[in-house]
Structures are given as structure tokens and as C-alpha cells.
Amino acid sequence: MTTKDRILARIRRAQRPTPADTGPAAGLAAVPRDYLHVHGARTPAQSADLLAAHLAEYRARVHRTDEAGLAPLLGRLLSDSRTVLVPPGLPAHWLARTSATPVPDQASSTPHELDGVDSAVTGCALAIAETGTIVLDGGPGQGRRRITLIPDHHVCVVRVPGQVVDSVPQALARLDPVRPLTWISGPSATSDIELDRVEGVHGPRTLDVVLLGPPAQ
């Protein structure tokens, strides 16, 4: 028996149905779920701090503010932008202090047209502290996936603590797997064999993440 034969034999044995197996998964071995769902206990503030630290490691620019300070902050972040993509459902007051011309997210927009827009502002579905990852699912205030891939500058607002989870397993439990999920860990980056980092090759060159929390007590 060859090594290939032994491997295939093990797969066949693992997939043998049991008498209780029914439905589309019948015959498939149960997947063990006894792994850690989170690494350590944290307060909401500690989770937000960990998220901010990991985002910064990925070279995202992290900002913190409350509702009162959000519009002025976005105005500063967009001060060099002439145009900004605005997804449906984005709260209008978020952009009340910017002079950039709003461009609505439309299905008819071509990649060439989107490439001519300076920035995009979106919300998110949630953010993962342990990995420094932001997840978008196309919900209200997020728009289509392409508006966060083509413009060179993406500003993403994360509500703290409501949209922050500690781990990937916790995120998967809250996300809808049939929605178009986009997982973002820092600005777009790649590197060659000599590890020379190049940003903006297949997505935004600059990622600003705004952690939107309650007013300081």
C-alpha cells in the first residue's frame, strides 16, 4: 500500500456514516469544536485598546472620538479629499464638516469612475481585537465591497464597544455567512522576495479607523 492509499483509506474511514447520521452532512465526521474561543478575559476598554494596537501594527491610522467629535474628525481626515464615496445608510451628520463632494454608491459606477474618487467613508459590521481585523458585510452605511477596494483612502468607523469582539470565533458567531464579507487588516500591502513593502497595490493605500465610543466620564 502506498502513502497515497493510506491517506485515502483514512479519509474513507473518517467519513463512514453512523446510524444517527441524517441530512446533507450524513457520513461526515463531526468537527471538534473544543478549541479556545477567546484568549484571556478582557474588559470592553481593554478589547478596544488591543484592537487599536493591532490596527496600528498593520499601519492603519487609529483615532478615537465620541459622537460630538466625529464630524469634526472626519472633516480633518478628509481635508485633502475633493470627493468622497458615501454608501447608502451612512448617517448624514457624519460628513457635515467636510467640504468634499459626496459621491453616492451606485451599481452603475465603473471601476474607472471609482478610481477617480479620493476617499470612501463607511461603517462596519464588527471588528476583531485579537487580530486587528475589521469586517464589512455590505449592511447599512457600508456599501458595496468595491467602494472600499478601489479608492486610495478608506475611513472606517467602528462603534465601541458594541461592534468590537475579542476573537475570530466570536466574530463568526455574529456574522451572517451568506452576506458578502470583507475582512480588512490594515491598508493594502504586499512585498517582494526581498520583503520590500509596497502599499496600495490591491486596495486603499491609507486606512483610517475611527473608534467611536461614548463620551468620556
Side-chain angles (χ1 to χ4, degrees):
M1 179 179 288
T2 66
T3 301
K4 177 181 177 181
D5 293 332
R6 287 195 293 270
I7 293 173
L8 293 176
R10 289 178 183 176
I11 294 174
R12 294 187 188 100
R13 286 197 300 271
Q15 292 183 336
R16 281 178 186 159
T18 66
D21 284 336
T22 60
L28 299 180
V31 177
R33 305 288 185 183
D34 54 352
Y35 48 78
L36 289 176
H37 281 222
V38 66
H39 298 84
R42 303 181 189 90
T43 65
Q46 289 171 331
S47 296
D49 289 342
L50 183 62
L51 172 65
H54 284 160
L55 284 166
E57 287 178 3
Y58 285 128
R59 301 191 187 181
R61 303 189 304 196
V62 182
H63 316 268
R64 297 183 188 237
T65 189
D66 56 18
E67 285 285 353
L70 180 59
L73 173 59
L74 293 180
R76 292 194 297 273
L77 296 179
L78 298 170
S79 60
D80 294 330
S81 298
R82 296 162 301 171
T83 51
V84 55
L85 269 166
V86 181
L90 192 81
H93 68 275
W94 284 13
L95 301 179
R97 300 286 291 274
T98 178
S99 60
T101 301
V103 178
D105 173 24
Q106 297 179 332
S108 59
S109 297
T110 66
H112 178 73
E113 291 171 337
L114 294 177
D115 190 45
V117 180
D118 295 320
S119 300
V121 177
T122 74
C124 73
L126 50 78
I128 305 170
E130 289 183 351
T131 61
T133 303
I134 298 166
V135 185
L136 281 65
D137 67 359
Q142 298 173 53
R144 294 173 176 80
R145 184 197 309 263
R146 61 184 183 163
I147 75 169
T148 61
L149 296 177
I150 300 179
D152 205 42
H153 180 208
H154 179 197
V155 182
C156 185
V157 178
V158 181
R159 293 189 179 276
V160 178
Q163 291 184 316
V164 179
V165 298
D166 281 313
S167 66
V168 172
Q170 290 179 344
L172 291 174
R174 287 179 51 173
L175 293 168
D176 184 347
V178 304
R179 295 192 66 82
L181 301 178
T182 303
W183 299 63
I184 301 170
S185 295
S188 165
T190 188
S191 61
D192 59 20
I193 195 170
E194 295 180 351
L195 301 183
D196 291 328
R197 180 182 173 100
V198 179
E199 296 178 348
V201 175
H202 44 70
R205 191 185 316 273
T206 304
L207 174 63
D208 281 301
V209 180
V210 178
L211 303 183
L212 179 62
Q217 299 299 318

